Amino acid sequence: MTINSNPSRVTIKVLEQMKNEGEKISMLTAYDYSFAKIIDEAGIDIILVGDSASNVMAGHETTLPITLDQMIYHASSVIRAVKRALVVVDLPFGTYQADSKEALKSAIRIMKESGAHAVKLEGGHLAKESIERILQAGIPVMGHLGLTPQSIYKFGTYTVRAKDDVEAKTLIDDSKMLEKIGCFSIVLEKIPNVLAKKVALNLKLPIIGIGAGSDVDGQVLVSHDMLGMNKDFSPRFLRRYLDLDSLVSNAVKKYSSDIKSGSFPNKDEQY
Ligand code: KIV
């Protein structure tokens, strides 16, 4: 029997059990009610209201511009649709870096105003104090290491992280620290498979990868990318499950030509 087919609600305890029993965890982003409903009913374990909303919903080049109010709006829409998945919401850039009190206030706003189940934030030792304060308030925290898109202007590129020994050691130390202080899970983004495997093997908490290979406890992708809504984004780690861009485009073209030819609406489609 798999746990996945079973729980009526995915909780942090369920995720822990899944790791212990070797059952992989599925995670996908959602930003609105309609997609969240489909994704939840399809049985995804964790729904992430990612700050990637800044890119795929708002059209910004980076994740930096999205605000706390906007994240709360997306998260509330998702929460209204979800019955089974654990809903995790990203703390956006600028809402937790200044000091730990501000970080806690931001996390509380997300939990209170959206009804989300947990928050995610980027960073290791530099974010430690903020994460500890949020955890002390009883809010579950998911960590995020490796490529952390909110620091894109520090990195300069979206290339694979932690390829050298120094950065790899920092990542290992940070992941151990995140487990020790009480994070319930960590996302590892765009790092070598061997390093991700080492982290997943050495830690008890579930490790979710994106571009981190198959030897971790679960996988996450941005829904717009895996559904093929973004032709211009083709990193090696992305598998497209649909060509939604073409499907929607063809439907819209047909609709438009049906209007122009007078074939829509027909007699059965009017009162
Ligand atoms: O914002 C996001 O979608 C994310 C995932 C890429 C993990 O953080």
Side-chain angles (χ1 to χ4, degrees):
M1 182 192 76
T2 62
I3 302 163
N4 196 19
S5 52
N6 225 5
S8 52
R9 193 94 235 187
V10 178
T11 61
I12 287 160
K13 269 261 156 308
V14 169
L15 298 174
E16 237 172 67
Q17 262 176 282
M18 288 170 83
K19 164 127 187 175
N20 292 340
E21 299 187 12
E23 179 178 341
K24 297 276 188 182
I25 297 164
S26 58
M27 174 164 157
L28 194 58
T29 65
Y31 317 97
D32 68 281
Y33 175 86
S34 304
F35 263 101
K37 192 163 187 295
I38 297 169
I39 289 169
D40 188 49
E41 286 173 2
I44 285 288
D45 300 313
I46 305 175
I47 293 182
L48 172 66
V49 184
D51 59 356
S52 48
S54 181
N55 310 107
V56 298
M57 299 300 287
H60 293 294
E61 205 176 305
T62 72
T63 57
L64 276 67
I66 199 159
T67 66
L68 189 56
D69 283 341
Q70 287 165 342
M71 287 301 295
I72 290 169
Y73 168 78
H74 287 297
S76 322
S77 311
V78 166
I79 277 288
R80 283 192 283 275
V82 172
K83 294 201 169 73
R84 178 183 175 276
L86 186 88
V87 178
V88 180
V89 181
D90 265 336
L91 277 176
F93 177 69
T95 66
Y96 62 95
Q97 288 92 347
D99 66 64
S100 61
K101 282 192 186 153
E102 194 193 359
L104 176 58
K105 278 189 196 150
S106 305
I108 287 176
R109 277 203 61 202
I110 287 181
M111 301 298 283
K112 222 178 172 61
E113 295 176 39
S114 76
H117 309 133
V119 297
K120 172 164 88 56
L121 60 96
E122 297 180 5
H125 53 284
L126 293 176
K128 181 171 182 260
E129 200 185 308
S130 294
I131 296 173
E132 279 177 320
R133 202 180 269 266
I134 297 170
L135 287 166
Q136 276 158 19
I139 300 172
V141 178
M142 175 180 258
H144 185 156
L145 300 172
L147 176 66
T148 46
Q150 291 178 14
S151 306
I152 186 57
Y153 291 117
K154 183 175 126 195
F155 297 144
T157 77
Y158 286 100
T159 52
V160 180
R161 306 304 308 172
K163 276 164 90 175
D164 65 67
D165 291 350
V166 176
E167 218 190 307
K169 183 176 176 319
T170 305
L171 188 140
I172 290 173
D173 292 347
D174 281 345
S175 62
K176 284 183 186 158
M177 179 276 292
L178 291 179
E179 172 161 275
K180 193 162 169 226
I181 65 175
C183 286
F184 74 90
S185 174
I186 302 173
V187 166
L188 293 182
E189 181 163 355
K190 231 173 168 186
I191 62 165
N193 172 45
V194 180
L195 177 60
K197 180 179 180 177
K198 199 165 168 183
V199 174
L201 275 177
N202 284 302
L203 297 187
K204 289 198 180 71
L205 84 182
I207 301 297
I208 312 292
I210 171 164
S214 59
D215 295 314
V216 288
D217 308 303
Q219 298 292 328
V220 57
L221 284 175
V222 168
S223 47
H224 287 55
D225 300 338
M226 66 79 89
L227 293 173
M229 293 174 84
N230 184 1
K231 277 187 194 152
D232 304 327
F233 185 63
S234 291
R236 190 202 293 195
F237 68 77
L238 175 62
R239 186 180 294 179
R240 286 207 180 89
Y241 287 84
L242 204 63
D243 181 4
L244 203 54
D245 182 300
S246 302
L247 289 172
V248 173
S249 174
N250 290 339
V252 172
K253 282 178 192 155
K254 179 82 174 79
Y255 169 67
S256 177
S257 81
D258 284 356
I259 293 171
K260 290 182 192 294
S261 71
S263 82
F264 176 77
N266 63 25
K267 283 207 181 75
D268 295 335
E269 291 162 332
Q270 60 193 22
Y271 299 98

